[in-house]
């Protein structure tokens, strides 16, 4: 008897679970009008006289926007590896920051701490809004690039934490930025936002070359040089 795996993949709410149910002739997977009803792997087995097929129904492939979706995508990769020997690496990023000579960090609207600090230092903002006193782990973008390149040489289906393993508060960040830029950075204290964890610090899987001073210094040089407008 011949046998094999068939993975049913695609975007959310495109009929993957309905297809599995039709193929098996029974309602194995839950279906409905809302996307992402399937959150785990569903295994269905179809047995014929001369073959046996193992069907894998998986969550829809999306660009994850929150933690549950990220975990679902991680599980999808693991299931594809089990069924089809897909090689992968999972990176769990903490706060990627800093800049190279040509590329830096800039968003519209801007919500990230270091670019906001740079805007105040450059006189583009009057003050920095500070929400609470938690600590965060920052890693330089160049370290992240180096780690990606090194892992590509030995894809071994592992999960990696990308951080430095050190936390720094907003007040500490502002103090360092003032020393490096020679600019006063006024702050406006706000209440801790609901749902914000006090501390987010990694247990890093790689050693990094750059510390927090290098991160802030490189960001300052890039923003000072004109950001995306001139670099």
């Amino acid at each position: 008897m011949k046998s094999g795996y068939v993975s049913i993949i695609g975007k959310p709410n495109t009929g993957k679970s309905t297809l599995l149910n039709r193929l098996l002739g029974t309602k194995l997977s839950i279906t409905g009008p809302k996307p992402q009803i399937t959150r785990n792997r569903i295994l269905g087995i179809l047995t014929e006289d001369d073959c046996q097929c193992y069907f894998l129904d998986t969550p829809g492939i999306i660009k994850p926007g929150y933690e549950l979706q990220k975990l679902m995508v991680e599980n999808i990769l693991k299931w594809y590896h089990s069924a089809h020997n897909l090689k992968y690496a999972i990176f769990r990023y903490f706060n990627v920051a800093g800049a190279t000579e040509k590329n830096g960090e800039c968003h519209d609207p801007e919500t990230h701490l270091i670019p906001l600090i740079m805007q105040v230092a450059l006189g583009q903002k009057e003050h920095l809004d500070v929400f609470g006193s938690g600590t965060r782990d920052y890693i330089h973008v160049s370290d992240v690039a180096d780690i990606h390149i090194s892992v590509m040489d030995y894809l071994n289906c592992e999960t990696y934490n990308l951080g430095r393993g050190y936390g720094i508060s907003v007040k500490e960040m502002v103090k360092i930025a003032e020393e490096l830029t020679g600019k006063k950075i006024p702050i406006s204290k706000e209440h801790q936002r609901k749902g914000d964890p006090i501390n987010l610090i990694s247990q890093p899987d790689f050693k990094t070359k750059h510390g927090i001073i290098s991160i802030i210094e490189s960001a300052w040089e890039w923003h000072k040089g004109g950001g995306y407008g001139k670099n």
Side-chain angles (χ1 to χ4, degrees):
M1 177 181 285
K2 296 181 179 180
S3 64
Y5 282 93
V6 177
S7 293
I8 304 175
I9 63 175
K11 295 182 178 181
N13 213 25
T14 54
K16 299 185 300 300
S17 297
T18 300
L19 174 61
L20 175 65
N21 292 340
R22 291 287 183 89
L23 290 169
L24 298 179
T26 186
K27 191 170 182 179
L28 179 64
S29 285
I30 299 174
T31 60
K34 293 184 178 181
Q36 296 298 108
I37 292 178
T38 301
R39 295 186 174 182
N40 293 289
R41 178 187 66 175
I42 305 295
L43 174 62
I45 302 175
L46 177 64
T47 303
E48 301 288 351
D49 293 337
D50 58 347
C51 67
Q52 193 170 58
C53 292
Y54 299 84
F55 290 96
L56 302 177
D57 184 17
T58 60
I61 299 176
I62 57 173
K63 182 179 180 180
Y66 55 90
E67 297 309 314
L68 176 59
Q69 291 179 335
K70 293 176 182 178
L71 181 60
M72 289 164 64
V73 172
E74 289 183 7
N75 287 333
I76 290 172
L77 291 174
K78 294 174 184 178
W79 297 329
Y80 287 178
H81 170 70
S82 298
H84 307 292
N85 199 31
L86 172 72
K87 300 299 182 182
Y88 67 87
I90 294 172
F91 297 105
R92 291 178 175 171
Y93 304 96
F94 282 71
N95 295 277
V96 181
T100 64
E101 290 184 3
K102 292 185 178 180
N103 296 297
E105 185 182 12
C106 182
H107 312 88
D108 184 20
E110 187 58 72
T111 59
H112 289 199
L113 176 60
I114 293 181
L116 288 172
I117 290 176
M118 299 300 110
Q119 288 179 3
V120 177
L122 290 168
Q124 299 170 358
K125 283 177 61 70
E126 292 183 358
H127 61 267
L128 176 71
D129 294 322
V130 178
F131 299 89
S133 58
T135 60
R136 297 292 183 267
D137 192 348
Y138 290 83
I139 181 172
H140 198 288
V141 64
S142 295
D143 285 321
V144 171
D146 290 341
I147 291 169
H148 278 72
I149 293 171
S150 67
V151 170
M152 289 300 294
D153 291 333
Y154 56 94
L155 285 176
N156 54 3
C157 306
E158 295 288 343
T159 300
Y160 303 103
N161 291 321
L162 271 59
R164 295 173 49 250
Y166 301 97
I168 182 170
S169 69
V170 175
K171 289 183 179 180
E172 292 171 322
M173 190 82 78
V174 168
K175 182 179 179 182
I176 295 172
E178 287 180 335
E179 293 173 354
L180 290 173
T181 64
K183 307 289 185 179
K184 182 65 178 176
I185 301 172
I187 64 175
S188 175
K189 295 182 180 179
E190 305 288 345
H191 293 294
Q192 183 88 20
R193 290 177 292 199
K194 290 184 178 181
D196 276 359
I198 300 299
N199 300 307
L200 275 178
I201 303 172
S202 69
Q203 293 181 324
D205 291 301
F206 297 90
K207 292 183 178 179
T208 56
K209 300 176 183 177
H210 302 273
I212 193 64
I213 292 177
S214 176
I215 291 172
I216 298 175
E217 191 172 38
S218 62
W220 171 241
E221 290 300 321
W222 187 79
H223 280 273
K224 186 175 63 172
Y228 281 124
K230 293 185 179 179
N231 290 316

